Amino acid sequence: MTGSTTILGLESSCDDTAAAVLRRDGQGGTRILSSVVRGQADLHAPFGGVVPEIAARAHAELLDHCVEEALDAAGVGLRDLDALAVTAGPGLIGGVVSGVMCAKGLSVATGLPLYGINHLAGHALTPRLTDDVAYPYLMLLVSGGHCQFLIVRGPAEFERIGGTIDDAPGEAFDKVARLLALPQPGGPSVEEAASAGDPERFALPRPLLNRPGFDLSFSGLKTAVLRTRDTIIAEHAGLPQALRADLCAGFQAAVVDVLAEKTRRAMTHLMAETNAPPALCVAGGVAANRAIRAGLETVSDSFGARFVAPPLALCTDNAAMIAFAALEQMGTRDPDDLSLAARPRWPLDLASPAMLGSGKKGAKA
């Protein structure tokens, strides 16, 4: 590259509306000039989870404002941009459509090239943005809707070696929070309650640890929490706060144990082809959980590997990661045209069999 590239990114795949401006200099260094994220937690709180129709309407209302705010914060205008990037999937289709249509409109109005980006690629490439991690590296993508182990070999080269066969960890945290009458989002609520609990008070399962490979399962663990809760209520005519804390602590400890062991196996697998320990990276909203981070750091230390967990603002959904993914991929492919479609399902690794089944909309993961 001989000159700088300034790019505007948009993200609207779930319940965060985001826009960001990044600039890459001629030597390949990248700076985040601005990053704006408008959450929708208050809109969805009365329903105990994200309502797709409400999310889609909010994205349509907020995207223009986020773009304007991001440009102002970066001190640039549309004429100063060199490209546009947008999440084109996977995600809640109404939100993805809102972002794609907004980006197409900007592309038509300005003549700027447009790059449709896989939301998961944004998360998977974030360690390159924050810590300049060298390829290949192991990425544990762990969020509300996704959980998979990826070997990241290049800007558009992702090998999925394992993942959840049912619930994602973030989904399990949210469901457990609802079972225990804790507020949403469930992850922070369960983590806070667990801090006061005894993780050994209840014997909860560690699913799939007796099965070889890297796949994970959290649905059965969630069911075990439900049954334990019902037993407590029957014995105590209610759910005492102390026992609820113990149940949260036991659930969280089980998730940590499963993720740590499967990560250990994945690192062993990747090290068979590398001369030095590859970096162990984690991204996604669940990566904010302190106990999970500590468990994964213990694994990386045992291999003498570098552990990279981006700052919370870049672990959760944001547009900076989408803009950065486009910058990384510019040298590997052409821009998209106006036929770019919003995709509710879009596996990163198209060569691997679908883990959760396929339908008319394509493979889920």
Side-chain angles (χ1 to χ4, degrees), residues 23-108:
R23 179 170 292 157
R24 173 165 286 183
D25 61 32
Q27 289 70 49
T30 304
R31 288 190 301 134
I32 300 175
L33 301 185
S34 66
S35 181
V36 175
V37 180
R38 298 276 194 93
Q40 303 175 8
D42 291 344
L43 296 176
H44 302 285
F47 305 98
V50 177
V51 180
E53 293 81 0
I54 293 176
R57 292 191 186 100
H59 288 309
E61 295 173 359
L62 291 172
L63 275 164
D64 290 349
H65 299 288
C66 287
V67 168
E68 185 176 11
E69 188 176 343
L71 292 174
D72 288 345
V76 302
L78 289 174
R79 295 179 180 178
D80 301 309
L81 299 175
D82 299 296
L84 304 165
V86 63
T87 296
L92 301 177
I93 190 60
V96 179
V97 167
S98 297
V100 169
M101 294 306 294
C102 180
K104 285 183 178 181
L106 289 172
S107 180
V108 170

Side-chain angles (χ1 to χ4, degrees), residues 136-227:
Y137 56 89
L138 179 66
M139 164 58 68
L140 170 57
L141 177 55
V142 55
S143 68
H146 303 279
C147 183
Q148 50 191 275
F149 289 106
L150 298 167
I151 298 177
V152 184
R153 303 187 185 278
E157 297 179 57
F158 308 96
E159 180 186 354
R160 191 191 71 234
I161 60 173
T164 181
I165 61 173
D166 43 55
D167 290 353
E171 182 181 4
F173 269 92
D174 286 345
K175 289 179 178 178
V176 165
R178 284 195 288 271
L179 291 175
L180 302 180
L182 293 171
Q184 295 292 322
S189 297
V190 172
E191 182 179 10
E192 181 180 359
S195 65
D198 177 5
E200 298 183 0
R201 174 67 178 79
F202 299 106
L204 296 175
R206 271 61 173 166
L208 299 191
L209 284 192
N210 60 347
R211 181 187 298 183
F214 320 108
D215 289 342
L216 307 107
S217 170
F218 297 100
S219 180
L221 175 59
K222 172 200 64 185
T223 302
V225 170
L226 169 62
R227 291 173 177 169

Side-chain angles (χ1 to χ4, degrees), residues 265-278:
R265 297 180 192 179
M267 282 291 288
T268 301
H269 172 80
L270 181 53
M271 283 188 65
E273 66 175 70
T274 58
N275 295 324

Side-chain angles (χ1 to χ4, degrees), residues 1-9 20-26 33 71 76-85 106-107 110-115 323 326-327 330 335:
M1 298 177 65
T2 57
S4 65
T5 302
T6 305
I7 185 169
L8 169 69
V21 178
L22 272 63
R23 179 170 292 157
R24 173 165 286 183
D25 61 32
L33 301 185
L71 292 174
V76 302
L78 289 174
R79 295 179 180 178
D80 301 309
L81 299 175
D82 299 296
L84 304 165
L106 289 172
S107 180
T110 61
L112 292 171
L114 172 64
Y115 291 85
L327 288 172
M330 281 180 181

